[in-house]
Amino acid sequence: MSTNDFCEMDSLTEAEEMEGETELGMIEEEVVYPEEFLPTYHSIKEGAKIAKAQLAEFNDKPDSLFFNDGVRRIDFILVYEDEDKKDFEKRHAYQRRKRQREYFEASLMKMGMELEATESVIDEELMFLKVHMPWDKLCTYAEVLHIKLPIQPNDLSSRPSPWRYFSFIFKHFYPNENLIHKETEFFTAPFEKDRLEYFHVRDKDLFFTPSMRSRMAYYILSRAPYEIRGSKKKFGITKLLDGGVYKAAYPLHDCRFNVKSQEDGCPNERYLLYEEWAHPKSFYKMQPLDLIRKYYGEKIGIYFAWLGFYTFMLAIAAVVGLGCFIYGYKTQETSTWSKEVCDPDIGGQFVMCPQCDRECHYWRLNSTCEASKKLCIFDNFGTLVFAVFMSIWVTLFLEFWKRYQAELEYEWDTVEFLEQEEPSRPEYEAKCIYERKNPVTGVKESVPYTTCGRCIRLSLGIGTVLFWILLILASIVAIIVYRLAAFFAFSTKLRTQSLKELEPLKEYVTPQMATAVTASLISFVVIMILNILYERVAIWITDFELPRTKTDYENSLTLKMFLFQFVNYYSSCFYIAFAKGKAVGYPGAPVYLLGKYRNEECDPGGCLIELTTQLSIIMGGKAIWNNIQEVLLPWLKNLISRYCNRVDPEKVIPRWEQDYQLQPFSKHGLFYEYLEMVIQFGFVTLFVASFPLAPILALVNNLFEIRVDAWKITTQFRRIMPEKAQDIGAWQPILQAVAILAVATNAMIIAFTSDMIPRLVYYWSFSVYPYGDYGNHTMEGYINTSLSIFDIKDFSNYSRPMDTPENITTCRYRDFRYPPGNPREYEFTVYYWHVIAAKMAFIIVVEHIVYLTKFILSYVIPDVPYAVKEQIRREKYLTQVILHETNLKLVTKRLKPAIDKSGEKDTVVELKEDLELSLDF
């Protein structure tokens, strides 16, 4: 639309503003939107009187969901402060808000919406505007939004469940069927107003569910204009909320969460959801997903369906992981190499080289006895089996989720919820100032930027994301520097005894463990702080990029946030797993970071136990922090709100005002729920080889998470705006990417972080002839073979310990190098090259086997169940039959006046035959 289609709004004098004059000069005749987006929009002519909402007193019915006439249902609530009740000196500042609000309400009424305003019973300055959509407007916008509605009952018989024989047991784990009834299944089709007679309309008041009505009402609210000055147009409830014109906008809960409504015909769905889903007593029950979807919309429903399915699959992984943990715990006392570490005659005789320069002391190997026993719990052959199992598990999880999601798509009528059916965001439409030719339709359309402008926006966004990722990496380097300095300090403090007593002060506290725990805590705090900062940056970048649809917006924000969170949460784990202890040199020639800090070394048993510590602290701390944010903060806010707005307990408070006192649900609230779970999914899959208890921790957390989220949105928040969603969006490819990466990371953890491969090489090759002295394959002597010898005379002046006992001439260190005096002293031995070759072979073989298995499983398991395909084909057939019959009737009706009686029958018959031939079943 050209900029000349609008006339500038007449400016008002100060006197007119003070009097609240409502006669405004607006646009002449052109509409703000193309007719297919807002078919009921009609402009307000210049000089026309602005219609006002009808005022009504509260009728003392606290549970009423209707206007005062008891007939018109409330589809949306808008809350504002009455500007005329403000102080006289403040009233002038509110006049522009009043003009915008009144014009906005007049636009709504011009589009056929019905409004009724009621004064608050608690705060006399507050006004509640009730919005109702009449039947005709519901039909119009149901067609605009392509809402699928029932055409006839589903006549395909469902296949009996194989678990039906155990129904007497499983029925206790399902919601009470006497309270939550199973709804009749229907075949559905996109609604068309002209074909209303073909839809299954039993009751006009119940044909559109409350969530559908609210969704259509919000569609109009987000596009109705409130101010037009010349070529500048302003519209949408979102802008009015941001500008303070309205204080809140929300659909109504149908009753209180813990008390049934006394109104006739009220479904009490909120009460049922609380009793059978959100209440702690129902923690063991399956989720009533159909009711969740009906009450909150498909977007909320698909989230809880995914979370429930993920938790169910975690139960299987948790059982296997617990079995591996128990196996490790039972075998820790029988591990040969652990016994050698703890043996005073073996580990007690090995004097280890200092692990930092000058200030650190020599120490005995058996001082790490307890740490080596703990390492046996996680570093054993059971862990290898569990890592391979989890690689297969994650494939099965994603494949079976696709099947389950396909069933939900059909049941919830989102199979054909395509991108072209999704309307543009109001923020996008408001900035459409350029024209281009649509490459698909060839029709001119408005866009908010040119091709060059879009490239600039995307480039700035990518540059900002990369900058913040580099900032995270800088923080990781800072934490590494802390680890080096802290290890130096702990080594000095914890190993200050004489040579005879070179054990730590405490049995379980080694310098490595103290450094790992404190660094993990600091890393967790840094992660939380960076999350808060980057969250705002990511939202700002996405707003600047101006995606067209809400799905595009969420996908763009999802990718940015996940990239940041991936680096933020996992970088410290990747450092411990793949960098720490890998480039340390040897005591005579250590490697330094930044030319100053000596690189960290791992324990003689490897860095696996430290990776386990890092994972447990971050996973546990994250779960505790998130639950505090999700439960405690909304509860405290509502408690403070109720305290500040105390009223007489006998005073009757209407439903809309009770909801107003609840917390608003963040427009990105569901995004953070997904993000939390996907980050957890990464911990469970990427590093599970080091921590087999991760699935159990995740399972326990998720069992609480489901009920906490249910309790939160049912009791503490206003009713969430229902939205349509076909699947979990951009999270699906992210989960698939994590699953692929998990195979590589777990194989590399087993190869490079754990000591499993060196032990296997020793057992099969170096314990027997020609390299070893034993007649049979054994683990005896492994500790001696894995520790190289260093002559203390070869220390450099910079790294030589300040305190060297007289009776020590050599010390041991963790590596595979030739001893002093050998022609190739301090060079890598043949054992080292055997280990490297075995590690590379292990990674290649395991990766190829697992990836091949994943590919076979993905190919064998169909994404859509056969029964669902049958139902989809049946539904398409019925839809085409209805369209065929309707078109036939219309054509026949139009041809009657134009055809003479003699040729009428033949023409109609020919037409019927043509239409039947063109019908594609």
Side-chain angles (χ1 to χ4, degrees):
M1 180 174 291
S2 67
T3 58
N4 297 325
D5 292 334
F6 303 104
C7 299
E8 185 174 355
M9 180 189 294
D10 295 338
S11 59
L12 302 179
T13 64
E14 183 174 344
E16 288 174 326
E17 289 178 342
M18 298 296 292
E19 293 171 6
E21 181 64 46
T22 59
E23 187 172 311
L24 303 178
M26 293 296 171
I27 60 176
E28 287 280 355
E29 294 186 7
E30 295 296 328
V31 298
V32 177
Y33 281 91
E35 190 173 342
E36 63 268 21
F37 295 132
L38 280 178
T40 60
Y41 180 83
H42 299 285
S43 60
I44 301 175
K45 295 182 181 291
E46 182 180 358
K49 287 286 186 179
I50 300 298
K52 290 187 176 181
Q54 178 184 357
L55 292 174
E57 295 291 332
F58 173 48
N59 58 7
D60 292 330
K61 292 182 178 180
D63 295 325
S64 176
L65 303 176
F66 296 87
F67 281 20
N68 275 13
D69 58 16
V71 176
R72 292 174 291 174
R73 174 181 288 275
I74 300 172
D75 297 319
F76 227 86
I77 290 290
L78 305 179
V79 186
Y80 64 92
E81 290 182 325
D82 191 346
E83 299 84 0
D84 295 331
K85 294 179 180 177
K86 291 290 181 183
D87 295 336
F88 182 80
E89 38 298 337
K90 295 182 180 179
R91 198 177 299 172
H92 174 73
Y94 284 87
Q95 288 308 304
R96 188 183 180 196
R97 291 186 184 179
K98 182 179 180 180
R99 294 198 309 273
Q100 292 175 341
R101 178 179 58 77
E102 289 182 342
Y103 185 74
F104 180 73
E105 293 170 8
S107 299
L108 293 177
M109 288 186 281
K110 196 76 173 176
M111 285 187 277
M113 308 282 274
E114 297 179 4
L115 310 178
E116 183 178 87
T118 302
E119 186 180 304
S120 168
V121 299
I122 298 176
D123 184 353
E124 63 178 11
E125 290 187 356
L126 280 183
M127 297 292 293
F128 291 87
L129 185 68
K130 295 169 277 187
V131 180
H132 168 77
M133 287 190 71
W135 168 257
D136 182 63
K137 301 302 177 286
L138 288 171
C139 293
T140 300
Y141 285 96
E143 185 171 354
V144 171
L145 296 177
H146 303 274
I147 295 178
K148 298 183 77 173
L149 290 159
I151 50 179
Q152 76 172 44
N154 189 334
D155 55 3
L156 291 180
S157 59
S158 58
R159 296 181 180 179
S161 171
W163 305 103
R164 63 188 182 281
Y165 301 110
F166 303 97
S167 60
F168 65 96
I169 298 175
F170 295 144
K171 68 178 183 180
H172 301 291
F173 296 94
Y174 284 87
N176 190 339
E177 293 183 359
N178 295 324
L179 295 176
I180 301 179
H181 305 288
K182 188 175 182 180
E183 296 187 1
T184 307
E185 293 185 7
F186 287 91
F187 291 118
T188 60
F191 185 78
E192 293 186 38
K193 192 174 180 181
D194 294 336
R195 298 183 173 93
L196 180 60
E197 66 273 15
Y198 292 100
F199 287 88
H200 194 79
V201 184
R202 288 179 295 182
D203 186 342
K204 286 186 176 182
D205 294 331
L206 302 177
F207 183 60
F208 297 104
T209 64
S211 61
M212 291 179 185
R213 299 173 68 105
S214 298
R215 184 178 156 217
M216 287 185 275
Y218 186 76
Y219 177 85
I220 297 175
L221 289 171
S222 61
R223 286 159 176 79
Y226 62 83
E227 185 175 87
I228 300 176
R229 291 178 178 270
S231 62
K232 190 174 183 181
K233 54 186 178 183
K234 298 181 180 180
F235 53 85
I237 188 64
T238 305
K239 294 288 186 182
L240 293 176
L241 288 169
D242 293 341
V245 177
Y246 288 100
K247 295 179 69 65
Y250 51 90
L252 282 180
H253 281 299
D254 62 356
C255 65
R256 286 181 285 177
F257 70 86
N258 55 353
V259 180
K260 280 190 173 183
S261 172
Q262 301 301 317
E263 291 289 312
D264 294 335
C266 179
N268 291 299
E269 290 173 348
R270 185 190 186 194
Y271 172 80
L272 295 177
L273 285 172
Y274 177 73
E275 287 293 317
E276 295 296 312
W277 179 47
H279 198 286
K281 70 179 182 181
S282 301
F283 75 95
Y284 62 92
K285 292 186 177 182
M286 302 292 286
Q287 300 183 91
L289 292 176
D290 288 334
L291 185 59
I292 297 170
R293 171 252 180 171
K294 181 181 177 184
Y295 193 74
Y296 288 114
E298 288 78 10
K299 196 167 190 177
I300 296 292
I302 202 74
Y303 164 72
F304 280 104
W306 177 82
L307 181 56
F309 186 82
Y310 171 47
T311 304
F312 171 76
M313 293 293 289
L314 271 178
I316 302 172
V319 171
V320 180
L322 182 60
C324 291
F325 176 79
I326 294 173
Y327 170 79
Y329 185 80
K330 291 292 185 181
T331 58
Q332 64 174 326
E333 299 293 341
T334 61
S335 171
T336 303
W337 67 270
S338 179
K339 286 181 179 180
E340 289 186 349
V341 170
C342 297
D343 191 340
D345 296 329
I346 302 177
Q349 299 302 314
F350 287 144
V351 177
M352 304 299 294
C353 298
Q355 293 182 314
C356 66
D357 296 331
R358 300 184 63 81
E359 297 293 335
C360 291
H361 302 271
Y362 297 94
W363 52 285
R364 300 280 184 182
L365 178 61
N366 66 344
S367 66
T368 62
C369 176
E370 292 301 323
S372 67
K373 289 181 179 179
K374 292 187 182 71
L375 182 62
C376 289
I377 299 175
F378 302 103
D379 192 1
N380 53 66
F381 295 113
T383 303
L384 171 60
V385 174
F386 186 56
V388 175
F389 166 79
M390 286 300 294
S391 299
I392 306 301
W393 173 89
V394 72
T395 303
L396 293 174
F397 163 65
L398 292 175
E399 291 302 317
F400 284 123
W401 164 247
K402 288 178 186 176
R403 289 172 60 84
Y404 185 45
Q405 184 173 258
E407 294 178 16
L408 293 177
E409 285 178 17
Y410 173 73
E411 292 175 6
W412 294 355
D413 299 322
T414 60
V415 174
E416 296 178 355
F417 179 64
L418 305 177
E419 182 182 355
Q420 56 263 34
E421 295 179 355
E422 187 177 5
S424 301
R425 295 188 308 130
E427 295 84 354
Y428 177 92
E429 294 169 343
K431 296 184 179 180
C432 289
I433 57 176
Y434 300 100
E435 284 191 349
R436 71 159 189 175
K437 186 177 181 180
N438 189 300
V440 178
T441 63
V443 178
K444 283 189 176 181
E445 63 179 6
S446 297
V447 292
Y449 36 62
T450 61
T451 303
C452 180
R454 178 175 174 78
C455 291
I456 292 173
R457 288 171 183 265
L458 291 177
S459 300
L460 288 174
I462 293 171
T464 308
V465 171
L466 291 177
F467 168 78
W468 276 86
I469 289 177
L470 291 175
L471 185 63
I472 299 171
L473 296 178
S475 71
I476 297 300
V477 172
I479 292 174
I480 292 172
V481 171
Y482 163 80
R483 297 174 72 100
L484 301 177
F487 179 78
F488 176 86
F490 284 127
S491 296
T492 304
K493 297 294 182 183
L494 297 179
R495 289 177 175 149
T496 56
Q497 294 86 356
S498 63
L499 180 62
K500 297 180 181 179
E501 300 176 307
L502 285 180
E503 286 82 19
L505 292 175
K506 295 183 180 179
E507 183 179 9
Y508 297 98
V509 180
T510 63
Q512 289 92 343
M513 182 60 68
T515 303
V517 172
T518 55
S520 298
L521 291 173
I522 293 173
S523 177
F524 173 72
V525 173
V526 171
I527 285 171
M528 293 296 107
I529 293 173
L530 288 176
N531 278 348
I532 295 172
L533 295 176
Y534 182 74
E535 174 188 323
R536 299 181 180 180
V537 174
I539 293 174
W540 178 83
I541 296 171
T542 310
D543 289 339
F544 178 73
E545 289 177 357
L546 208 62
R548 187 180 72 84
T549 65
K550 188 165 185 180
T551 299
D552 293 339
Y553 181 92
E554 291 176 350
N555 290 346
S556 177
L557 181 62
T558 296
L559 184 60
K560 292 181 183 64
M561 284 296 292
F562 180 76
L563 285 174
F564 175 84
Q565 299 276 16
F566 184 91
V567 178
N568 199 14
Y569 276 107
Y570 302 142
S571 52
S572 58
C573 296
F574 275 103
Y575 164 73
I576 295 172
F578 307 122
K580 183 182 177 183
K582 302 300 184 293
V584 295
Y586 63 96
V591 177
Y592 292 89
L593 178 67
L594 305 178
K596 179 179 180 181
Y597 299 99
R598 180 171 169 176
N599 279 0
E600 287 184 280
E601 297 181 32
C602 294
D603 274 329
C607 287
L608 195 70
I609 191 67
E610 189 172 339
L611 180 59
T612 303
T613 304
Q614 178 85 359
L615 284 170
S616 57
I617 288 177
I618 292 181
M619 279 190 71
K622 182 173 176 291
I624 294 170
W625 175 254
N626 286 334
N627 283 323
I628 289 175
Q629 280 188 313
E630 293 179 8
V631 179
L632 196 57
L633 291 181
W635 181 77
L636 284 175
K637 288 179 180 179
N638 284 331
L639 187 66
I640 294 171
S641 176
R642 286 194 295 269
Y643 178 79
C644 296
N645 297 293
R646 293 189 306 273
V647 295
D648 185 352
E650 296 182 358
K651 181 175 284 190
V652 179
I653 303 177
R655 169 85 267 132
W656 48 84
E657 197 149 3
Q658 294 176 43
D659 285 4
Y660 178 67
Q661 294 175 355
L662 299 176
Q663 293 300 307
F665 192 75
S666 169
K667 65 179 180 179
H668 300 302
L670 201 58
F671 166 80
Y672 296 119
E673 302 294 345
Y674 272 118
L675 183 62
E676 176 187 350
M677 288 296 103
V678 172
I679 293 296
Q680 181 204 86
F681 179 80
F683 281 123
V684 168
T685 55
L686 291 174
F687 307 103
V688 74
S690 67
F691 192 34
L693 290 180
I696 297 178
L697 293 181
L699 175 64
V700 173
N701 176 77
N702 288 8
L703 290 174
F704 280 100
E705 182 76 19
I706 291 174
R707 304 304 162 178
V708 164
D709 286 347
W711 174 84
K712 179 179 65 177
I713 68 172
T714 306
T715 66
Q716 302 300 306
F717 287 95
R718 298 169 190 157
R719 188 169 181 173
I720 301 171
M721 176 61 218
E723 293 183 62
K724 202 84 169 173
Q726 186 177 18
D727 48 37
I728 61 175
W731 298 111
Q732 184 80 22
I734 287 175
L735 291 174
Q736 292 172 336
V738 171
I740 293 172
L741 181 61
V743 178
T745 56
N746 283 298
M748 292 175 69
I749 286 172
I750 293 173
F752 293 109
T753 309
S754 79
D755 239 19
M756 187 177 299
I757 302 299
R759 291 200 296 266
L760 287 173
V761 171
Y762 176 82
Y763 181 83
W764 291 107
S765 298
F766 284 80
S767 63
V768 295
Y769 181 82
Y771 300 107
D773 301 327
Y774 296 94
N776 298 317
H777 297 286
T778 179
M779 284 301 297
E780 293 181 16
Y782 169 72
I783 292 298
N784 183 50
T785 305
S786 65
L787 296 177
S788 299
I789 302 173
F790 180 76
D791 191 335
I792 63 173
K793 293 185 296 184
D794 295 331
F795 274 117
S796 65
N797 292 331
Y798 181 77
S799 60
R800 186 182 304 278
M802 297 175 63
D803 181 17
T804 303
E806 296 179 357
N807 57 343
I808 292 181
T809 58
T810 61
C811 61
R812 309 296 287 264
Y813 62 98
R814 185 175 186 266
D815 211 339
F816 305 107
R817 295 176 184 267
Y818 288 107
N822 190 288
R824 301 175 62 185
E825 66 174 5
Y826 302 134
E827 292 184 13
F828 291 118
T829 65
V830 66
Y831 187 5
Y832 171 82
W833 298 111
H834 274 72
V835 169
I836 291 296
K839 288 180 177 181
M840 299 307 297
F842 173 82
I843 292 173
I844 293 171
V845 171
V846 169
E847 280 189 352
H848 280 69
I849 291 175
V850 174
Y851 281 135
L852 177 62
T853 306
K854 288 167 68 72
F855 172 77
I856 293 173
L857 289 174
S858 300
Y859 180 79
V860 170
I861 301 173
D863 291 347
V864 182
Y866 179 74
V868 174
K869 288 182 179 178
E870 282 185 336
Q871 291 178 325
I872 292 174
R873 285 197 293 265
R874 171 69 173 163
E875 190 171 277
K876 286 184 177 180
Y877 167 78
L878 291 174
T879 303
Q880 288 188 346
V881 166
I882 289 173
L883 293 175
H884 169 69
E885 292 179 353
T886 306
N887 291 335
L888 194 60
K889 287 182 178 179
L890 288 173
V891 172
T892 303
K893 185 177 179 181
R894 291 173 182 172
L895 287 176
K896 278 185 179 180
I899 303 174
D900 56 73
K901 293 182 180 180
S902 60
E904 179 179 0
K905 185 175 180 181
D906 294 336
T907 306
V908 173
V909 169
E910 289 174 5
L911 181 61
K912 285 183 178 180
E913 290 175 353
D914 292 341
L915 286 172
E916 286 169 358
L917 288 173
S918 66
L919 183 60
D920 181 15
F921 294 131

